[in-house]
Amino acid sequence: HGVQHQEIHPEADDNDLFCGVDWDPYGMMFVAQMWTAGTPEGRTYPTYTNPNGSNYRFYLSNGTLIGTLDRPEIEARFGQPYMISPFEMLIHTPHELDFCVFRYNLLTQTLTRLSTPPGSVHQLKVSPRRRSIVYNFSSFQQPYEIYKQKLRQNEPTQLTHYNDDLRDLNQVRADQVHFTLASGAERTGILIQPADGNFPPENIPMVVWQHGGPTAPMTQQWGNTVEMPFNLFPNLGMAVLVVPLPGRDGFGRDFLDALVDGTNFGQIDINEQAEIIDQMAQLGYTSWEQTGVTGCSYGGYFASQSVSSNNIGYA
């Protein structure tokens, strides 16, 4: 019945930016995804070019604010909201080592994670009328396949089996590893080895990998290319260590800002990775002589800096 023009402006004092909206299927209300400006230590003003997280605001169609959502599980800047009813929303977001989907109920204010296994949900498509989602899923141990999940059911249904042969050929194991750094910081990652490898490992050749970005999330997903060698190297007998370090999305605003706090850039993630390798060498898991480093884009910078400053071998 015609177009209504409304303008909603973020408050000047909260450093939030409107970055996207999604309407409910009936046009009664919408969710606005807000990016929070980065606040690196040592800088007088926030940075709007590099936001450090997301929160969500709910508006009626006339522009009246009726609720907000700001929770650690869904604060990643790479999250994306989908309204599935006037009072329910899905959020597709990186969270620590997974790229997953959360469901939020505005009436009960409950936030729950949909029951997808550890790994990465990509290419999410939402059908509010059918109350279901379809997505592409993979992990270090499973190549990409398409799944459908009804929101009233706990388990997804696999729709395709295009990569069954590849899944059977993929002979790897993936184990979580934990490190406590000298600073007191806790870091968690995943060590991918040949399927017959031991855990804990014993004096293995290993490549450490960092994503491009540097803000890109580091979640477990299928990768058999030089740029993402999670399955390529282990199937050739060489382990791959994936540990998200400061500057990555999905671990909170402070973690994302930490790479550029003060004079950290070019140092904090490089040095933390070197400390992690040193700990693994002391435990007998590997040795400096058997450790390589690889990555593309920012990961290539990370690799070059690591080789020149910490004498990590090439991969």
Side-chain angles (χ1 to χ4, degrees):
H1 305 291
V3 176
Q4 293 182 346
H5 179 80
Q6 301 280 352
E7 289 189 12
I8 304 172
H9 298 269
E11 293 78 4
D13 59 352
D14 64 9
N15 295 330
D16 284 355
L17 297 164
F18 285 105
C19 73
V21 301
D22 192 63
W23 284 86
D24 87 83
Y26 305 100
M28 297 174 58
M29 63 171 296
F30 64 90
V31 59
Q33 182 180 6
M34 311 297 295
W35 272 348
T36 54
T39 53
E41 294 179 6
R43 303 191 187 190
T44 304
Y45 301 106
T47 167
Y48 295 91
T49 304
N50 294 287
N52 64 11
S54 295
N55 60 72
Y56 299 88
R57 300 181 185 179
F58 302 96
Y59 294 90
L60 296 178
S61 58
N62 63 7
T64 301
L65 178 66
I66 62 171
T68 61
L69 174 63
D70 191 357
R71 292 271 294 272
E73 302 97 314
I74 47 82
E75 68 180 355
R77 59 171 291 191
F78 282 97
Q80 186 169 356
Y82 299 87
M83 293 295 298
I84 55 175
S85 80
F87 302 104
E88 288 182 291
M89 173 179 69
L90 300 180
I91 305 172
H92 181 213
T93 183
H95 177 58
E96 297 179 354
L97 290 163
D98 297 322
F99 215 121
C100 49
V101 182
F102 286 88
R103 183 178 182 177
Y104 181 67
N105 187 299
L106 280 72
L107 298 179
T108 62
Q109 297 185 353
T110 54
L111 180 70
T112 56
R113 177 172 167 173
L114 296 191
S115 57
T116 55
S120 292
V121 170
H122 289 303
Q123 298 173 306
L124 178 69
K125 301 299 180 184
V126 179
S127 176
R129 296 188 184 279
R130 296 181 181 274
R131 307 288 290 173
S132 63
I133 57 176
V134 177
Y135 54 86
N136 199 349
F137 176 83
S138 76
S139 69
F140 294 144
Q141 294 177 293
Q142 179 187 317
Y144 295 102
E145 297 290 359
I146 305 299
Y147 287 79
K148 178 180 180 180
Q149 185 167 351
K150 294 184 178 180
L151 298 178
R152 294 179 180 177
Q153 296 178 347
N154 290 328
E155 299 299 326
T157 300
Q158 186 171 342
L159 299 182
T160 66
H161 294 269
Y162 293 125
N163 289 312
D164 283 354
D165 290 343
L166 187 59
R167 179 201 60 206
D168 295 340
L169 287 172
N170 180 47
Q171 297 297 309
V172 305
R173 63 178 298 168
D175 300 279
Q176 275 205 357
V177 286
H178 306 276
F179 305 95
T180 301
L181 306 182
S183 65
E186 302 283 340
R187 300 289 178 253
T188 297
I190 298 179
L191 180 67
I192 311 137
Q193 299 184 80
D196 58 359
N198 297 318
F199 189 82
E202 300 175 7
N203 197 33
I204 58 170
M206 181 184 73
V207 173
V208 297
W209 173 83
Q210 283 290 305
H211 206 303
T215 58
M218 286 175 56
T219 60
Q220 63 158 315
Q221 58 186 297
W222 180 263
N224 60 348
T225 65
V226 172
E227 184 173 355
M228 302 177 72
F230 321 128
N231 301 90
L232 179 66
F233 288 170
N235 279 289
L236 295 175
M238 183 179 297
V240 174
L241 177 65
V242 178
V243 181
L245 299 172
R248 298 297 173 182
D249 198 24
F251 292 85
R253 298 181 178 107
D254 291 342
F255 193 84
L256 192 59
D257 277 346
L259 180 62
V260 289
D261 283 344
T263 59
N264 279 355
F265 193 85
Q267 299 184 73
I268 186 171
D269 54 345
I270 308 294
N271 294 338
E272 284 194 6
Q273 185 72 85
E275 188 177 350
I276 287 169
I277 296 171
D278 202 41
Q279 287 188 23
M280 295 191 72
Q282 292 177 23
L283 291 169
Y285 294 174
T286 188
S287 65
W288 281 91
E289 293 75 20
Q290 294 187 97
T291 302
V293 57
T294 191
C296 291
S297 191
Y298 178 80
Y301 164 82
F302 179 93
S304 299
Q305 182 81 349
S306 297
V307 167
S308 61
S309 61
N310 293 305
N311 297 316
I312 299 177
Y314 285 98

